[in-house]
Amino acid sequence: MLNTKHNNPTRPDRTAFAPYNFVPLPAQPRIADRPLPHDRYYVQESGRPVYSGWFECTLTTETPFYIRGPLPAQEIAAGKEAKNKPDFFSLDGGKTPRIPGSSLRGLFRNLIEIIGNARLNFVTDRRLVYRAVDTTRLGQQYRDRIMEPDPGDPKHWFTPRVQAGYIRKDRNGEWCIQPAKKINGTTWCRISHRALSGLRNDLAPWPEKADGERRVKNARLIYVQPSNYEFQEVRGGFIRIRYARALRAAPGPGPGLHKAVLIESGQINTKRSEAIIFEPDDAVPQDEWLPLRSVDDDGREIALDRDYRDQITEQQRTILGTDGALRDMQPVFYLVENGRLTFFGHTLMMRLPYKKSVLEHVPEALRAEGKSDVDLAEALFGYTRRGGKQNGKEEIIAFAGRVAFTDGVYQGNLPDPFERLIKPKVLSTPKPTTFQHYLCQPQPDDKAQLRNYDDDTAIRGYKQYWHRGAVKIGDVEETDREKLKHVTQYTEIKAVKAGAAFTFRIYFDNLRDYELGALAWVLQYAAHSDYRLKLGMAKPHGMGAVKIASSLHLVDRRSRYQRLLDAGGWHTAVGTHNQQDDLIARFKAWVVNGSAGQFDAQPHIRELLAMLSWPGPDPDKTRYMEIERKQPDGRKVNEYRERPVLPHPTAVLGKAPPAIANTASAMSPGTTPQPSAPASTTLTWRTGTLAEIRPDLRYGVIRDDQQADKTYRFDTRVIQGDTPGKKSRVKFQVQSDGKVVAVKKA
């Protein structure tokens, strides 16, 4: 049974802070009705209305905002990296910013997953890796796997369970580990830096006769005479570890010397020796090499090469190369548990995978895999997932979404929409391996009782980023020249300024009242002065805060298909809907199967509103912690050292933000919100001149004949018939809100 309880730390020294926090998981998922099919338009279902139409949205940036543009095919072929392309996403070579509809869709889906009590999709079933050499419970857990305690003194005498070998590709081109030769009962030994001091420059590269890219960066050929495999004093004799020492070493063969490979794992001030791995054991046939890919007892693929690549650090790339230890003839250490290869690395104290995957920390009821029913996010946005095996074959369950997002089109409201080119500060956010942040901690004040990925505790929930108020581009820019010397860690960006306006539409078909109400709930908070949404890159630094104003337009499908024309124009059967509070109330009541007040009282809704609150908490409470944080007295402290725990968002904010009052919350159960009658189903044709037309950008501009200084921007998809040319005469229909809904040649 997973623990799902997370408690706030009560002491300042146990309290962490970060630019992010977590919205808790719901207690139980809310299963939605099956989506209405796409083969027809529905007007009602079981006596209740069904809606089609769109939201007309205007997004305004509140802080600098950035979405990177794609690389053209020729730049990809030339080996250029996306991080070296600073342009904002656009369709005209970086001249006009544009928000991809996919980015808007992702923003809305994430929020509807949270508010709709959805199950979790896309949670990895891979295992994270860790290393702990401290005295905590995790450190003890790590030592128990790496070291075997000696029965005579299990607290101080240890024999490494780790063995040594070489990364190889077998006859099928698959990565394996070829064991090293055993000499005196071990596959490796250690040599002191003192003994190495006169040898290093004389040692030949490894592998032998290798040159260029085939050479292993951190390895050299060496010949050694190892001692017996026996317990050696470590840490001044406080503990003893069993290993062999190099009694003699030379760059070439000699009496009593064995061929081996010296591996150097990097500089550490306290390190006094390096490891030597004996030569590959060619007596072991390829069929007995240890494969990096296999299948576990439950039929799941184990891909240690993939897992290894995921955890390669910049330091490892510097020492070993781009692919780390995944190089033919690379000497490595490895661990075998229960007859199966567990992991490998270039050091004795390597990282190890947890025994449990991330998915195992999601409550079973909240896992989407293998379920045939759907939640609200899946019902709205569509889904594709495995549904289990039927007649020995994997069943794929799929359904297309009923919601579509257009791109956000820049409205040209700023003289220059772009900020100056900058290099932003590195986004060094702690990764999910920081279990004290990412997992529920029932005893946060006790470092010894912190839960990790081998414990029965749940993930914290949905990761969200704090707002940091009206940040400026200078707040995001890295100006430290010393840090900028590490060029591989930095990128360049050309962000859009605060105050830029973009318009987009959210089209929907065949939505029930509570489904439409979910979209309306998000847009209600997106427009409120006390809240903002987050979109784009550099969210940890406060970028990407946006607000969205919207209006709801419904299509009366029955009226729309009863006739084609009205007097003077097309019969659009479109009306503006002003009863969104009713729809939101329906949505809230559906989620909790009760009242709207019960919806607002859910813990995860309170915490979500805290994360959306504008302008956010004191920025000092949402900064990154630092490994070397300078104190007032000049000392530097590692703020991660004691593994402090993140409190709930409301504790960071200092309050629980109030929900927006819903005027329809007392609506009687028997009433059903109805769409307004189309206010302007008959639109007259006006005449004008096409001042600009950009089909590639999906917009045009019409100058009205009736008002010479009046222009209308329109979506080119409303053009009827052939596309008119620039400066040509056109007829057009415009709604009372200024939206052009039809254009044709005059």
Side-chain angles (χ1 to χ4, degrees):
M1 186 72 177
L2 286 178
N3 161 67
T4 57
K5 178 71 173 175
H6 180 78
N7 290 319
N8 291 326
T10 61
R11 305 198 320 257
D13 64 312
R14 295 299 308 144
T15 303
F17 36 87
Y20 59 86
N21 210 304
F22 296 89
V23 175
L25 301 176
Q28 290 292 327
R30 180 64 165 102
I31 303 305
D33 297 300
R34 282 284 178 189
L36 291 172
H38 294 286
D39 61 348
R40 74 197 74 172
Y41 289 116
Y42 285 77
V43 176
Q44 64 176 12
E45 179 195 35
S46 302
R48 301 177 69 89
V50 174
Y51 301 94
S52 295
W54 70 86
F55 285 97
E56 194 73 41
C57 302
T58 299
L59 179 151
T60 305
T61 58
E62 292 284 296
T63 61
F65 167 58
Y66 183 68
I67 295 176
R68 192 181 299 280
L71 282 176
Q74 60 269 28
E75 292 185 11
I76 295 174
K80 187 172 181 179
E81 294 185 63
K83 74 181 185 69
N84 296 324
K85 183 180 178 66
D87 293 341
F88 196 95
F89 184 89
S90 72
L91 298 181
D92 59 358
K95 297 176 184 177
T96 308
R98 194 178 186 94
I99 302 175
S102 57
S103 296
L104 296 164
R105 177 187 175 90
L107 168 65
F108 276 75
R109 175 162 187 154
N110 175 249
L111 291 171
I112 286 176
E113 284 176 347
I114 296 173
I115 66 174
N117 295 5
R119 291 183 297 227
L120 270 71
N121 281 284
F122 318 118
V123 180
T124 180
D125 62 353
R126 287 150 70 173
R127 297 171 297 164
L128 301 177
V129 298
Y130 74 104
R131 175 172 53 208
V133 292
D134 54 20
T135 58
T136 63
R137 189 168 65 93
L138 184 66
Q140 184 61 51
Q141 176 181 309
Y142 178 81
R143 283 189 297 279
D144 287 346
R145 295 179 71 183
I146 285 283
M147 301 284 185
E148 180 179 356
D150 188 78
D153 189 349
K155 290 186 178 181
H156 301 98
W157 290 43
F158 303 94
T159 298
R161 303 181 194 270
V162 175
Q163 303 174 57
Y166 294 81
I167 294 290
R168 300 298 308 274
K169 277 199 170 180
D170 65 12
R171 62 177 68 92
N172 298 317
E174 299 293 331
W175 289 114
C176 298
I177 294 179
Q178 179 184 9
K181 277 186 178 179
K182 276 193 175 181
I183 300 173
N184 297 341
T186 182
T187 52
W188 58 277
C189 66
R190 298 201 72 87
I191 185 170
S192 69
H193 285 173
R194 180 181 299 176
L196 269 178
S197 60
L199 281 176
R200 272 194 178 93
N201 294 337
D202 297 326
L203 299 180
W206 175 260
E208 294 177 272
K209 300 179 181 178
D211 56 8
E213 287 299 313
R214 290 186 57 242
R215 289 180 178 174
V216 175
K217 288 183 67 174
N218 72 324
R220 295 289 185 273
L221 182 63
I222 194 170
Y223 292 82
V224 295
Q225 178 188 352
S227 71
N228 291 331
Y229 185 43
E230 56 193 7
F231 289 101
Q232 315 280 352
E233 290 187 357
V234 178
R235 297 182 187 173
F238 177 70
I239 61 173
R240 290 173 178 260
I241 295 178
R242 194 179 187 192
Y243 67 90
R245 291 180 293 111
L247 299 177
R248 289 191 302 128
L257 298 180
H258 296 272
K259 188 177 181 181
V261 177
L262 168 72
I263 57 172
E264 298 186 88
S265 57
Q267 296 295 322
I268 300 176
N269 290 336
T270 57
K271 191 166 67 170
R272 299 289 182 267
S273 64
E274 300 290 349
I276 290 175
I277 294 178
F278 303 138
E279 67 177 313
D281 190 350
D282 291 332
V284 177
Q286 277 198 25
D287 293 343
E288 295 180 20
W289 290 1
L290 303 168
L292 301 193
R293 294 211 171 205
S294 59
V295 177
D296 68 12
D297 295 336
D298 297 322
R300 293 179 301 185
E301 182 191 32
I302 297 175
L304 297 183
D305 54 338
R306 178 193 63 194
D307 296 342
Y308 175 82
R309 282 193 176 93
D310 287 346
Q311 59 87 58
I312 297 175
T313 65
E314 284 301 319
Q315 183 184 22
Q316 289 173 342
R317 287 191 173 94
T318 300
I319 296 170
L320 304 170
T322 303
D323 294 324
L326 288 173
R327 178 189 292 268
D328 196 49
M329 296 302 287
Q330 170 72 51
V332 292
F333 293 96
Y334 63 93
L335 179 66
V336 173
E337 294 178 307
N338 300 319
R340 192 186 299 276
L341 179 64
T342 296
F343 214 54
F344 62 95
H346 70 289
T347 63
L348 178 68
M349 305 298 281
M350 72 189 81
R351 290 179 173 86
L352 295 178
Y354 285 99
K355 295 180 179 179
K356 295 181 179 179
S357 71
V358 176
L359 183 61
E360 290 177 86
H361 295 277
V362 176
E364 174 60 37
L366 294 174
R367 300 180 195 175
E369 284 297 315
K371 308 292 197 313
S372 59
D373 48 22
V374 298
D375 56 43
L376 181 60
E378 293 171 323
L380 286 176
F381 293 90
Y383 55 89
T384 299
R385 66 167 182 265
R386 295 190 297 272
K389 289 190 175 181
Q390 297 290 335
N391 300 321
K393 293 184 178 180
E394 190 73 40
E395 182 185 19
I396 301 298
I397 303 173
F399 191 86
R402 293 173 292 153
V403 179
F405 290 75
T406 68
D407 286 354
V409 178
Y410 175 56
Q411 295 303 292
N413 63 309
L414 299 178
D416 179 4
F418 294 112
E419 297 279 7
R420 57 187 171 81
L421 189 70
I422 68 160
K423 289 183 178 180
K425 298 171 183 175
V426 173
L427 303 177
S428 54
T429 179
K431 296 179 180 179
T433 47
T434 311
F435 57 82
Q436 64 270 26
H437 289 192
Y438 282 76
L439 296 179
C440 290
Q441 301 296 343
Q443 296 173 275
D445 287 343
D446 188 349
K447 179 182 176 183
Q449 296 303 316
L450 294 179
R451 306 291 180 93
N452 62 62
Y453 286 97
D454 275 343
D455 292 315
D456 292 326
T457 195
I459 59 174
R460 283 283 304 272
Y462 294 91
K463 187 177 181 180
Q464 301 285 308
Y465 288 93
W466 288 109
H467 293 301
R468 295 174 61 83
V471 300
K472 307 298 183 187
I473 198 67
D475 301 324
V476 179
E477 185 178 17
E478 181 59 79
T479 57
D480 188 320
R481 292 183 180 180
E482 286 301 313
K483 291 181 179 179
L484 288 170
K485 289 179 181 178
H486 303 284
V487 292
T488 59
Q489 297 182 31
Y490 288 91
T491 183
E492 289 185 325
I493 66 171
K494 195 173 185 181
V496 163
K497 294 176 180 176
F502 296 80
T503 58
F504 66 96
R505 282 186 176 184
I506 306 172
Y507 288 100
F508 55 86
D509 287 308
N510 291 343
L511 297 192
R512 302 176 177 95
D513 51 8
Y514 69 84
E515 294 172 327
L516 184 55
L519 291 170
W521 187 98
V522 174
L523 288 165
Q524 179 186 46
Y525 279 90
H528 197 277
S529 60
D530 292 339
Y531 300 95
R532 297 290 184 274
L533 306 187
K534 277 275 197 181
L535 184 66
M537 291 178 59
K539 297 184 190 77
H541 293 317
M543 287 178 59
V546 301
K547 62 181 178 182
I548 302 173
S550 64
S551 59
L552 173 58
H553 303 264
L554 296 178
V555 179
D556 184 339
R557 290 293 179 189
R558 179 171 291 164
S559 174
R560 173 70 180 83
Y561 288 100
Q562 284 177 340
R563 63 182 186 273
L564 180 63
L565 299 171
D566 280 324
W570 295 102
H571 177 63
T572 61
V574 174
T576 302
H577 185 63
N578 298 315
Q579 298 178 358
Q580 292 187 49
D581 275 359
D582 296 340
L583 294 168
I584 292 170
R586 287 287 183 188
F587 159 68
K588 288 181 174 182
W590 173 83
V591 171
V592 295
N593 199 23
S595 70
Q598 290 174 302
F599 173 90
D600 295 333
Q602 295 176 102
H604 65 286
I605 298 299
R606 292 200 308 269
E607 303 302 340
L608 173 63
L609 295 185
M611 295 302 299
L612 298 180
S613 292
W614 179 260
D618 178 348
D620 251 5
K621 294 181 179 179
T622 59
R623 66 171 176 85
Y624 282 120
M625 294 195 298
E626 298 177 33
I627 294 175
E628 293 185 333
R629 178 72 173 180
K630 194 171 183 179
Q631 302 299 296
D633 60 4
R635 293 182 303 111
K636 291 182 179 179
V637 298
N638 183 348
E639 294 180 314
Y640 291 100
R641 183 179 181 85
E642 297 303 316
R643 294 200 173 107
V645 175
L646 277 177
H648 286 298
T650 49
V652 178
L653 190 64
K655 62 180 180 180
I660 296 175
N662 190 293
T663 57
S665 59
M667 183 176 58
S668 62
T671 61
T672 300
Q674 297 293 332
S676 308
S680 302
T681 55
T682 302
L683 299 176
T684 59
W685 285 100
R686 306 167 73 136
T687 59
T689 302
L690 196 59
E692 187 175 2
I693 181 71
R694 292 293 302 273
D696 56 328
L697 300 180
R698 289 184 180 174
Y699 83 87
V701 177
I702 296 172
R703 189 173 301 281
D704 194 349
D705 282 353
Q706 297 177 20
Q707 297 172 276
D709 59 343
K710 181 68 175 177
T711 59
Y712 293 94
R713 189 183 178 107
F714 66 93
D715 189 320
T716 53
R717 287 174 293 181
V718 304
I719 294 174
Q720 300 174 4
D722 296 335
T723 300
K726 188 176 180 180
K727 296 184 179 181
S728 62
R729 301 286 295 161
V730 295
K731 291 183 177 181
F732 65 100
Q733 292 179 334
V734 60
Q735 295 176 163
S736 59
D737 61 358
K739 185 70 180 179
V740 175
V741 295
V743 177
K744 65 181 180 179
K745 288 182 178 180

